[in-house]
């Protein structure tokens, strides 16, 4: 475990290093890319040498982000490549080192900035705000508190992270300060409509077909039909021609069904099954469900993976969630 640092200490650490290497998590979303983009731009503006990358390709929906052409996909960081000047690695929105490039360890200087409650507090330094809507909100608060100039380029990255991690400001993680942050970023001249269309209006017909298959398979389970469930197989992706990155935000749609309190989406990949959970405030915890499977996340949004065949994962997940609801309902009745 590293040392917990406050905003002023983050500023001191960043300013004391001439070379920043900013890392996003695997299967990057708008928050990890938006917050990394903002820090990349800030580093350039402060005269730093800056690199940016991650273990996965950037989804097409985020190709509009400033400096995205400098993002480097890499599975491993090799110490031999940095003999002359070792960078400060800045891991954003990444709860464990397993979710970023390989090769990071105690020989590197790492600062871990995140908003996930189950963050492992890895790295040389860490700063985690579980109450924040997004890591982009954390970066905005840091920059404001330390009087850093937030340019229009930085604002584009931060707004992207705010917008995507709050579901266009509709999720329960949206706080008063989240709207303050959004208003501040909008005042810097960014085009929110352009960002929304780039992220949400950049779908392919193949991607829409895969969403249609998931909707057709969707069912409601539980004694009150409070559990929304669906799944996608490799065959579904083959027959539609869609790629796995086109399922971002899909699980959230299940929560929009009247009466649904927790949504579960299973997606079969080549080596495993990815399981996404979303829940409403005050209901069964998505994070608790994910942690039972070795995953993690927030109380309202979490995920895990299983190396079992999807035919085995489906009944296992449904049994687990119904058992959890039985316990939860029992406790609720007693109180």
């Amino acid at each position: 475990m590293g040392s917990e640092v406050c905003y002023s200490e983050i500023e001191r650490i960043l300013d004391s290093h001439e070379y920043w290497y900013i890392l996003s998590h695997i299967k990057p979303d708008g928050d990890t890319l938006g917050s990394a983009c903002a820090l990349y731009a800030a580093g350039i503006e402060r005269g730093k040498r800056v690199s940016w990358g991650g273990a996965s390709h950037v989804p097409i929906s985020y190709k509009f982000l400033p400096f995205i052409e400098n993002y480097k996909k890499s599975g491993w960081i090799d110490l031999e490549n940095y003999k002359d000047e070792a960078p400060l690695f800045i891991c954003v929105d990444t709860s464990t080192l397993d979710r970023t490039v390989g090769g990071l360890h105690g020989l590197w200087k790492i600062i871990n900035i995140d908003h996930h409650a189950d963050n492992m507090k890895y790295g040389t330094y860490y700063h985690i705000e579980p109450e924040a809507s997004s890591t982009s909100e954390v970066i905005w608060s840091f920059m404001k508190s330390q009087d850093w100039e937030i340019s229009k380029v930085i604002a584009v990255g931060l707004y992207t992270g705010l917008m995507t991690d709050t579901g266009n400001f509709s999720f329960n993680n949206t706080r008063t300060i989240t709207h303050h942050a959004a208003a501040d970023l909008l005042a810097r001249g960014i085009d929110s409509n352009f960002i929304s269309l780039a992220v949400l209006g950049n779908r392919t017909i193949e991607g829409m077909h895969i969403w249609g298959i998931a909707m057709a398979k969707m069912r409601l389970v539980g004694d009150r039909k409070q559990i929304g469930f669906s799944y996608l197989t490799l065959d579904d992706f083959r027959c539609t021609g869609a790629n796995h990155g086109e399922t971002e935000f899909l699980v959230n749609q299940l929560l929009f069904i009247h009466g649904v309190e927790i949504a579960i989406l299973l997606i079969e990949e080549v080596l495993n099954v990815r399981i996404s959970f979303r829940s409403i405030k005050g209901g069964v915890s998505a994070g608790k469900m994910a942690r039972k499977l070795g995953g993690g996340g927030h109380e309202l949004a979490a995920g895990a993976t299983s190396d079992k065949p999807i035919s085995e994962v489906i009944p296992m997940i449904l049994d687990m969630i119904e058992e959890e609801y039985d316990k939860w309902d029992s406790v609720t009745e007693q109180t």
Side-chain angles (χ1 to χ4, degrees):
M1 184 184 296
S3 300
E4 185 173 13
V5 291
C6 63
Y7 287 159
S8 61
E9 291 169 317
I10 293 173
E11 181 180 49
R12 176 185 58 79
I13 293 162
L14 293 178
D15 283 344
S16 66
H17 288 80
E18 293 306 310
Y19 182 15
W20 302 355
Y21 200 131
I22 306 163
L23 292 172
S24 296
H25 62 63
I26 57 172
K27 303 185 187 306
D29 59 10
D31 190 27
T32 192
L33 292 172
S35 55
C37 167
L39 281 174
Y40 186 100
I44 295 296
E45 292 172 12
R46 296 176 81 82
K48 304 295 183 181
R49 178 186 172 197
V50 190
S51 296
W52 175 22
S56 304
H57 289 292
V58 175
I60 190 172
S61 297
Y62 301 107
K63 294 288 189 179
F64 72 93
L65 285 170
F67 302 110
I68 201 70
E69 67 277 6
N70 297 328
Y71 175 98
K72 301 173 185 176
K73 179 184 177 297
S74 176
W76 190 267
I77 296 292
D78 190 347
L79 185 63
E80 293 298 313
N81 295 334
Y82 300 96
K83 284 184 176 179
D84 295 333
E85 185 182 9
L88 169 71
F89 287 97
I90 308 170
C91 297
V92 290
D93 197 45
T94 306
S95 56
T96 72
L97 282 176
D98 292 339
R99 289 180 52 76
T100 188
V101 300
L104 296 182
H105 45 67
L107 295 176
W108 302 105
K109 282 286 184 69
I110 301 170
I111 183 165
N112 161 19
I113 303 175
D114 193 15
H115 73 125
H116 291 96
D118 60 350
N119 187 288
M120 298 303 291
K121 300 179 180 178
Y122 61 87
T124 318
Y125 316 101
Y126 69 89
H127 181 88
I128 302 156
E129 296 185 26
E131 69 281 2
S133 69
S134 56
T135 300
S136 293
E137 184 180 299
V138 176
I139 299 297
W140 175 82
S141 296
F142 158 70
M143 290 182 174
K144 291 289 287 185
S145 73
Q146 301 309 115
D147 294 321
W148 281 29
E149 176 63 28
I150 300 178
S151 64
K152 184 176 179 180
V153 174
I154 292 173
V156 168
L158 295 179
Y159 187 86
T160 301
L162 284 178
M163 183 196 80
T164 53
D165 248 30
T166 60
N168 271 328
F169 308 98
S170 67
F171 295 164
N172 286 321
N173 61 347
T174 306
R175 307 180 297 161
T176 302
I177 191 173
T178 312
H179 287 295
H180 285 321
D184 178 73
L185 298 171
L186 288 169
R188 298 173 193 276
I190 65 172
D191 186 340
S192 60
N193 184 57
F194 167 79
I195 295 173
S196 294
L197 286 176
V199 174
L200 302 174
N202 214 348
R203 305 192 190 283
T204 64
I205 190 68
E206 294 83 4
M208 296 303 289
H209 286 161
I210 202 72
W211 276 51
I213 289 175
M215 293 300 180
K217 290 182 176 180
M218 186 271 297
R219 52 185 162 133
L220 301 180
V221 295
D223 60 339
R224 294 180 283 107
K225 304 298 183 185
Q226 73 273 44
I227 304 163
F229 172 81
S230 190
Y231 67 95
L232 292 167
T233 67
L234 286 173
D235 283 342
D236 294 327
F237 287 95
R238 291 190 192 103
C239 76
T240 59
N243 66 63
H244 282 71
E246 294 181 283
T247 59
E248 186 179 11
F249 307 122
L250 176 52
V251 64
N252 300 326
Q253 307 306 306
L254 302 179
L255 274 186
F256 295 151
I257 301 168
H258 178 72
V260 168
E261 298 173 356
I262 189 163
I264 306 167
L265 177 66
L266 273 54
I267 297 178
E268 184 180 28
E269 300 184 335
V270 174
L271 298 177
N272 54 40
V273 175
R274 180 157 47 98
I275 308 157
S276 297
F277 297 92
R278 298 292 184 272
S279 65
I280 64 168
K281 191 172 184 178
V284 167
S285 165
K288 182 178 180 180
M289 293 294 95
R291 287 188 287 274
K292 283 187 173 184
L293 299 168
H298 301 288
E299 297 309 286
L300 304 179
T305 58
S306 173
D307 56 7
K308 296 180 179 179
I310 193 167
S311 59
E312 295 181 18
V313 177
I314 290 173
M316 177 188 74
I317 292 295
L318 292 178
D319 287 346
M320 184 184 76
I321 189 66
E322 290 195 24
E323 179 183 350
E324 183 62 30
Y325 255 103
D326 287 342
K327 294 177 182 176
W328 188 78
D329 288 340
S330 177
V331 171
T332 303
E333 290 172 4
Q334 293 175 14
T335 56

